[in-house]
mmCIF file of all heavy atoms in Angstrom:
data_model
loop_
_atom_site.group_PDB
_atom_site.id
_atom_site.type_symbol
_atom_site.label_atom_id
_atom_site.label_comp_id
_atom_site.label_asym_id
_atom_site.label_seq_id
_atom_site.Cartn_x
_atom_site.Cartn_y
_atom_site.Cartn_z
ATOM 1 N N ILE A 172 -11.102 -4.878 21.883
ATOM 2 C CA ILE A 172 -10.998 -3.557 22.497
ATOM 3 C C ILE A 172 -10.261 -2.690 21.492
ATOM 4 O O ILE A 172 -9.073 -2.892 21.238
ATOM 5 C CB ILE A 172 -10.250 -3.604 23.849
ATOM 6 C CG1 ILE A 172 -10.902 -4.613 24.798
ATOM 7 C CG2 ILE A 172 -10.218 -2.219 24.487
ATOM 8 C CD1 ILE A 172 -10.147 -4.806 26.112
ATOM 9 N N GLU A 173 -10.959 -1.736 20.897
ATOM 10 C CA GLU A 173 -10.378 -0.968 19.803
ATOM 11 C C GLU A 173 -11.083 0.369 19.658
ATOM 12 O O GLU A 173 -12.138 0.603 20.264
ATOM 13 C CB GLU A 173 -10.487 -1.751 18.494
ATOM 14 C CG GLU A 173 -11.931 -2.042 18.095
ATOM 15 C CD GLU A 173 -12.038 -2.898 16.854
ATOM 16 O OE1 GLU A 173 -10.990 -3.302 16.325
ATOM 17 O OE2 GLU A 173 -13.175 -3.157 16.402
ATOM 18 N N TYR A 174 -10.498 1.227 18.844
ATOM 19 C CA TYR A 174 -11.128 2.506 18.565
ATOM 20 C C TYR A 174 -12.244 2.326 17.539
ATOM 21 O O TYR A 174 -12.106 1.578 16.564
ATOM 22 C CB TYR A 174 -10.103 3.518 18.055
ATOM 23 C CG TYR A 174 -9.630 4.447 19.154
ATOM 24 C CD1 TYR A 174 -8.941 3.938 20.247
ATOM 25 C CD2 TYR A 174 -9.919 5.803 19.130
ATOM 26 C CE1 TYR A 174 -8.525 4.770 21.279
ATOM 27 C CE2 TYR A 174 -9.508 6.645 20.153
ATOM 28 C CZ TYR A 174 -8.815 6.124 21.228
ATOM 29 O OH TYR A 174 -8.437 6.946 22.255
ATOM 30 N N PHE A 302 3.443 4.327 15.834
ATOM 31 C CA PHE A 302 3.785 3.566 14.640
ATOM 32 C C PHE A 302 3.204 4.241 13.399
ATOM 33 O O PHE A 302 2.341 5.128 13.494
ATOM 34 C CB PHE A 302 3.304 2.122 14.782
ATOM 35 C CG PHE A 302 3.968 1.388 15.915
ATOM 36 C CD1 PHE A 302 3.339 1.280 17.156
ATOM 37 C CD2 PHE A 302 5.230 0.844 15.762
ATOM 38 C CE1 PHE A 302 3.952 0.627 18.214
ATOM 39 C CE2 PHE A 302 5.864 0.183 16.812
ATOM 40 C CZ PHE A 302 5.218 0.084 18.043
ATOM 41 N N ASP A 304 1.101 3.505 11.344
ATOM 42 C CA ASP A 304 -0.341 3.393 11.126
ATOM 43 C C ASP A 304 -1.133 4.214 12.150
ATOM 44 O O ASP A 304 -2.362 4.128 12.212
ATOM 45 C CB ASP A 304 -0.800 1.929 11.167
ATOM 46 C CG ASP A 304 -0.508 1.249 12.499
ATOM 47 O OD1 ASP A 304 0.118 1.884 13.380
ATOM 48 O OD2 ASP A 304 -0.900 0.076 12.665
ATOM 49 N N LYS A 306 -0.894 4.043 15.504
ATOM 50 C CA LYS A 306 -1.221 3.346 16.741
ATOM 51 C C LYS A 306 -0.053 3.334 17.721
ATOM 52 O O LYS A 306 1.103 3.512 17.329
ATOM 53 C CB LYS A 306 -1.668 1.909 16.439
ATOM 54 C CG LYS A 306 -2.978 1.849 15.661
ATOM 55 C CD LYS A 306 -3.422 0.417 15.409
ATOM 56 C CE LYS A 306 -4.737 0.397 14.649
ATOM 57 N NZ LYS A 306 -5.210 -0.991 14.390
ATOM 58 N N ILE A 307 -0.408 3.140 18.985
ATOM 59 C CA ILE A 307 0.587 3.006 20.047
ATOM 60 C C ILE A 307 0.288 1.746 20.838
ATOM 61 O O ILE A 307 -0.805 1.169 20.737
ATOM 62 C CB ILE A 307 0.561 4.223 21.006
ATOM 63 C CG1 ILE A 307 -0.821 4.352 21.669
ATOM 64 C CG2 ILE A 307 0.961 5.488 20.291
ATOM 65 C CD1 ILE A 307 -0.896 5.405 22.761
ATOM 66 N N ASP A 308 1.241 1.314 21.629
ATOM 67 C CA ASP A 308 1.006 0.196 22.544
ATOM 68 C C ASP A 308 0.322 0.717 23.809
ATOM 69 O O ASP A 308 0.677 1.769 24.340
ATOM 70 C CB ASP A 308 2.330 -0.478 22.926
ATOM 71 C CG ASP A 308 2.943 -1.254 21.780
ATOM 72 O OD1 ASP A 308 2.176 -1.896 21.032
ATOM 73 O OD2 ASP A 308 4.184 -1.213 21.625
ATOM 74 N N SER A 309 -0.683 -0.023 24.290
ATOM 75 C CA SER A 309 -1.394 0.350 25.508
ATOM 76 C C SER A 309 -1.735 -0.911 26.283
ATOM 77 O O SER A 309 -1.517 -2.028 25.809
ATOM 78 C CB SER A 309 -2.684 1.110 25.171
ATOM 79 O OG SER A 309 -3.697 0.212 24.741
ATOM 80 N N TYR A 311 -4.458 -2.073 26.578
ATOM 81 C CA TYR A 311 -5.524 -2.764 25.847
ATOM 82 C C TYR A 311 -5.057 -3.258 24.486
ATOM 83 O O TYR A 311 -5.872 -3.627 23.640
ATOM 84 C CB TYR A 311 -6.720 -1.826 25.674
ATOM 85 C CG TYR A 311 -7.277 -1.313 26.983
ATOM 86 C CD1 TYR A 311 -7.239 0.036 27.305
ATOM 87 C CD2 TYR A 311 -7.834 -2.187 27.914
ATOM 88 C CE1 TYR A 311 -7.736 0.500 28.512
ATOM 89 C CE2 TYR A 311 -8.346 -1.730 29.122
ATOM 90 C CZ TYR A 311 -8.286 -0.384 29.407
ATOM 91 O OH TYR A 311 -8.787 0.075 30.611
ATOM 92 N N GLY A 312 -3.747 -3.252 24.275
ATOM 93 C CA GLY A 312 -3.212 -3.641 22.977
ATOM 94 C C GLY A 312 -2.908 -2.413 22.148
ATOM 95 O O GLY A 312 -2.791 -1.297 22.669
ATOM 96 N N LYS A 313 -2.780 -2.583 20.851
ATOM 97 C CA LYS A 313 -2.507 -1.459 19.967
ATOM 98 C C LYS A 313 -3.790 -0.655 19.734
ATOM 99 O O LYS A 313 -4.805 -1.201 19.287
ATOM 100 C CB LYS A 313 -1.916 -1.955 18.650
ATOM 101 C CG LYS A 313 -0.419 -2.220 18.722
ATOM 102 C CD LYS A 313 0.172 -2.523 17.359
ATOM 103 C CE LYS A 313 1.693 -2.403 17.352
ATOM 104 N NZ LYS A 313 2.382 -2.946 18.504
ATOM 105 N N VAL A 314 -3.721 0.647 20.017
ATOM 106 C CA VAL A 314 -4.864 1.540 19.831
ATOM 107 C C VAL A 314 -4.373 2.842 19.218
ATOM 108 O O VAL A 314 -3.175 3.101 19.149
ATOM 109 C CB VAL A 314 -5.591 1.831 21.164
ATOM 110 C CG1 VAL A 314 -6.161 0.554 21.774
ATOM 111 C CG2 VAL A 314 -4.650 2.523 22.156
ATOM 112 N N SER A 315 -5.291 3.675 18.795
ATOM 113 C CA SER A 315 -4.948 4.976 18.232
ATOM 114 C C SER A 315 -4.139 5.804 19.222
ATOM 115 O O SER A 315 -4.391 5.775 20.431
ATOM 116 C CB SER A 315 -6.215 5.740 17.861
ATOM 117 O OG SER A 315 -5.935 7.094 17.572
#
Side-chain angles (χ1 to χ4, degrees):
I172 305 175
E173 61 184 2
Y174 261 63
F302 297 97
D304 60 356
K306 294 182 179 180
I307 60 172
D308 289 321
S309 77
Y311 302 116
K313 278 188 164 42
V314 298
S315 168

